[in-house]
Amino acid sequence: MALTRSKSRNTQKYLHHRKRGAGHYVAWACFILILLVTIFPFFWMLRSSFASNSALITDPGAIWPSETSLDAYRRVFGLTTPEESIAQGGAGASINFWLYLRNSAIVASVITVGQVLFSAMAAYAFARLRWRHRDFVFSIFIAALMVPSIFTAIPNFVLIKDLGLLNTFAGLVLPTFFMTPFAIFFLRQFFLGIPREIDEAAMIDGAGRFKVFFKVIVPMASAPITTLSVLTFINSWNEYFWPLLVGQSENVRVLTVALGIFRSQTPQGSPDWSAMMAATLVAALPIIILFSILGKRIVNSIGFTGIK
């Protein structure tokens, strides 16, 4: 009897494992395929950055160049003269990479600090305070999510121009410095899940609204605030259209705009593709590292914030 039961259990485990195994392997195959499709552009960018422009033209389909070189990176970092650049197959154009990298870091950091701070305060007001027409005002903010940013670009540009802030860091950061509808919605969903008894207990102890916000709510919301900070920084770092409109001066030009201008500088008739790929890879490297470190936390925070 015991032997029969043991065989029956083993048979059930085998059938269960076999049934689950087919779906398991299919899921892993799909995952690997999606992963390869996602990573391949980065690999191709890396491959192109180590090749010379002549090799990219003569053998464009090679998985890896027959001869690798760091000449493209030297051209990006300004370590070659225009004559050397042309001799290496480059366009002879130059890019002040470190200046543009600094500008991008300043713009992205300032926008991130301002947007997260003011959006958190607004989300706290929508989630924790009771005031007249609160839900109606919040619905207006949510409706703003459906308005494409291109519709507000011209009014914002006119306003920045009238304020005399063209070609300044203030003009670059002001439109998104204070808050965005997504940031308010994101943090409000988390604040709604915090028990109100915590606020009431802190206020009984003599804490005011600002102290409750900064000393109680913000520490409890460190995970979604960190997530929002990373997402805001990445979005600001990758922004192209608005900096192109208001940041034409080299002193405030960000890296995304500089790469577009570098591509258009073609004294030899064709872009310096290897240097372009090298500059793009170096520009994307901080974001890739940041998301690789905090990617799991971002996904978990987004999933948790959507559940009330």
Side-chain angles (χ1 to χ4, degrees):
M1 181 69 69
L3 182 60
T4 304
R5 290 178 179 177
S6 177
K7 289 182 178 180
S8 178
R9 285 195 297 267
N10 291 336
T11 303
Q12 291 177 357
K13 289 181 180 179
Y14 173 76
L15 293 175
H16 178 71
H17 177 72
R18 183 178 181 183
K19 184 185 297 184
R20 194 184 71 172
H24 178 77
Y25 290 126
V26 170
W28 269 105
C30 294
F31 172 76
I32 293 173
L33 179 61
I34 294 173
L35 185 64
L36 290 176
V37 172
T38 304
I39 294 179
F40 186 76
F42 294 98
F43 165 76
W44 202 255
M45 183 168 58
L46 178 66
R47 166 258 184 196
S48 300
S49 68
F50 284 107
S52 63
N53 287 312
S54 58
L56 293 178
I57 295 174
T58 56
D59 194 8
I63 298 299
W64 192 256
S66 56
E67 295 182 2
T68 59
S69 173
L70 295 176
D71 290 340
Y73 292 92
R74 284 195 283 266
R75 294 198 297 274
V76 168
F77 294 131
L79 301 179
T80 59
T81 63
E83 292 77 14
E84 291 174 339
S85 175
I86 294 175
Q88 294 169 1
S94 61
I95 176 174
N96 196 343
F97 184 83
W98 296 113
L99 174 63
Y100 303 143
L101 184 67
R102 184 209 68 177
N103 294 342
S104 291
I106 291 174
V107 171
S109 300
V110 172
I111 290 177
T112 300
V113 172
Q115 187 177 137
V116 171
L117 174 62
F118 291 109
S119 295
M121 297 175 69
Y124 176 77
F126 282 121
R128 317 295 292 178
L129 304 183
R130 294 183 176 91
W131 42 282
R132 192 176 182 183
H133 304 308
R134 181 190 65 177
D135 295 337
F136 175 73
V137 175
F138 180 72
S139 65
I140 295 176
F141 271 87
I142 294 301
L145 286 171
M146 297 182 290
V147 179
S149 59
I150 190 66
F151 288 173
T152 61
I154 295 178
N156 285 335
F157 175 80
V158 173
L159 177 60
I160 294 299
K161 180 181 179 182
D162 292 342
L163 293 174
L165 296 178
L166 291 179
N167 295 317
T168 63
F169 284 114
L172 289 172
V173 305
L174 273 180
T176 53
F177 177 74
F178 291 102
M179 62 185 69
T180 60
F182 169 76
I184 295 174
F185 172 78
F186 183 83
L187 293 178
R188 174 183 175 271
Q189 293 302 107
F190 182 84
F191 291 161
L192 286 173
I194 300 177
R196 290 187 176 273
E197 289 78 8
I198 297 177
D199 300 37
E200 296 171 356
M203 296 183 71
I204 290 174
D205 291 338
R209 287 294 184 184
F210 279 97
K211 191 172 183 179
V212 170
F213 173 72
F214 286 106
K215 297 292 186 179
V216 179
I217 301 299
V218 170
M220 295 182 66
S222 60
I225 287 177
T226 301
T227 299
L228 180 63
S229 300
V230 173
L231 295 177
T232 303
F233 187 89
I234 293 175
N235 184 65
S236 302
W237 184 275
N238 294 331
E239 182 64 35
Y240 175 78
F241 183 68
W242 179 253
L244 179 64
L245 286 179
V246 302
Q248 291 293 328
S249 174
E250 185 172 356
N251 293 329
V252 298
R253 183 178 297 158
V254 298
L255 194 55
T256 51
V257 177
L259 292 177
I261 295 176
F262 179 72
R263 179 185 178 279
S264 65
Q265 295 173 338
T266 56
Q268 290 189 329
S270 62
D272 187 355
W273 288 115
S274 59
M276 186 72 184
M277 293 298 102
T280 304
L281 182 63
V282 175
L285 195 59
I287 303 301
I288 296 173
I289 295 174
L290 187 65
F291 198 84
S292 299
I293 296 174
L294 301 174
K296 185 177 181 180
R297 188 172 186 176
I298 291 173
V299 173
N300 292 339
S301 295
I302 292 175
F304 177 76
T305 306
I307 303 174
K308 178 180 179 297

